Amino acid sequence: MSQPFSLTGFNFTKLKQPEMLLDIGNGDSNNILAINDSPLEWCHSLLIMERSKCLPQIMTECSLHKAIELCLLSNSCSLRIAFNSLCGHASVNHLHWHLYYLRHEMLLEYIDVCSYVLGVHLLMNYPAKGLCIKFSSFRNIGDFVSRAFLVVNYLQLRRIAHNVYITRAKLKSNDEMYGDVRIYVWARKSCVGVKDTIAFIPAACEFFGHLSFGDEDIYDNLKEDDVIGILNDFTEESFLLIKDQLRHFLENTKERI
């Protein structure tokens, strides 16, 4: 979790101009959308913020704010944005987010969540237990981002691996319109060492319900109960560990919403 940025390994300062899709900053190619050469879904790309600062894969409030802005600027409810921490299946130790289109209605767009504290909710009735912050609970984007970042940074400062997923959502389960945005945060078991691209090891997309498999035999043989068990195994212990401590932290923070 505390691995420093390395100029010698692969990082996004080594991108070539054709790999940069869009400058979302002031034109200096510092804040960009770039291609992802291992896409999971349609238009899978990378949001890279403050690229020249060579920041490690530790979320900043600025990058979270930009991710929310991009979500709200899109006229597609299928745009999804994800973040994997170090030890949470991040592929590159250089600050980045994943963006892609997932054109399927997903349970976490409308599932009921439990009230917790100060604009933060608990995702309980689901195999991957976690935290949910809903835009509709706040006055403006700034308050929304600030509260969500407090939760994520709580995990970062304590070196707890985590995954984050942003999706457009419904205000009520039977709504046709997507009038809300949800940020899901999962504390999870750490994974270290060389990433196994064949085994089913969940990260942000899998916790959200978008399952990816690198091996056809695993896909054919893994049952729903197996997936439920894996998601639960990776999240429940960490969720129970932080739940009461995080409540105390949020109740006593000076940044009250």
Side-chain angles (χ1 to χ4, degrees):
M1 290 291 293
S2 58
Q3 181 182 0
F5 177 88
S6 172
L7 280 171
T8 58
F10 174 77
N11 63 76
F12 299 121
T13 66
K14 300 180 180 182
L15 291 176
K16 297 178 175 60
Q17 191 62 41
E19 297 176 294
M20 303 180 195
L21 300 172
L22 182 67
D23 191 305
I24 55 173
N26 59 12
D28 61 1
S29 298
N30 198 32
N31 301 316
I32 61 171
L33 291 180
I35 67 165
N36 183 353
D37 63 2
S38 300
L40 288 177
E41 254 292 352
W42 182 251
C43 294
H44 190 168
S45 54
L46 302 175
L47 167 62
I48 305 169
M49 292 291 295
E50 301 182 292
R51 184 168 65 112
S52 63
K53 289 186 177 181
C54 297
L55 301 174
Q57 182 65 350
I58 297 174
M59 188 189 296
T60 63
E61 188 167 352
C62 176
S63 73
L64 174 59
H65 200 289
K66 181 59 70 176
I68 294 298
E69 284 184 341
L70 290 174
C71 180
L72 292 172
L73 283 170
S74 175
N75 65 2
S76 173
C77 295
S78 301
L79 181 65
R80 323 290 181 156
I81 306 176
F83 179 92
N84 297 319
S85 78
L86 295 176
C87 299
H89 263 325
S91 53
V92 178
N93 187 20
H94 192 173
L95 179 59
H96 67 286
W97 292 72
H98 294 266
L99 289 82
Y100 66 97
Y101 292 102
L102 181 63
R103 296 183 172 130
H104 298 277
E105 185 177 69
M106 303 296 289
L107 176 62
L108 294 197
E109 295 171 355
Y110 57 84
I111 191 173
D112 289 335
V113 290
C114 305
S115 181
Y116 180 49
V117 58
L118 297 174
V120 182
H121 304 266
L122 298 180
L123 175 62
M124 297 292 293
N125 189 26
Y126 186 74
K129 293 180 176 61
L131 304 154
C132 177
I133 304 95
K134 299 192 293 184
F135 188 20
S136 56
S137 299
F138 298 88
R139 296 186 297 267
N140 53 55
I141 295 176
D143 290 347
F144 178 45
V145 170
S146 177
R147 181 59 58 194
F149 184 71
L150 272 179
V151 172
V152 175
N153 205 40
Y154 177 90
L155 301 177
Q156 291 183 151
L157 293 174
R158 287 155 183 80
R159 299 182 183 179
I160 299 171
H162 52 279
N163 303 97
V164 179
Y165 202 97
I166 300 172
T167 183
R168 298 284 279 274
K170 300 178 180 182
L171 289 167
K172 298 179 180 177
S173 60
N174 58 352
D175 285 352
E176 292 187 8
M177 301 297 293
Y178 285 73
D180 207 354
V181 175
R182 293 187 180 192
I183 302 174
Y184 287 99
V185 181
W186 290 277
R188 47 92 45 82
K189 282 184 178 179
S190 290
C191 290
V192 297
V194 177
K195 184 176 181 179
D196 188 340
T197 59
I198 301 299
F200 178 71
I201 301 177
C205 297
E206 288 76 18
F207 289 143
F208 182 68
H210 177 203
L211 310 182
S212 60
F213 299 89
D215 182 86
E216 188 172 345
D217 287 338
I218 293 177
Y219 174 77
D220 288 338
N221 294 309
L222 203 64
K223 307 303 181 185
E224 182 179 1
D225 286 345
D226 299 325
V227 173
I228 289 172
I230 292 170
L231 298 183
N232 184 74
D233 180 61
F234 269 89
T235 59
E236 185 170 35
E237 183 178 348
S238 298
F239 173 79
L240 294 175
L241 178 67
I242 69 162
K243 185 165 69 76
D244 292 338
Q245 296 171 354
L246 177 61
R247 174 193 289 274
H248 180 76
F249 169 76
L250 292 174
E251 287 175 340
N252 288 277
T253 182
K254 294 180 180 179
E255 296 183 44
R256 294 184 178 272
I257 302 301

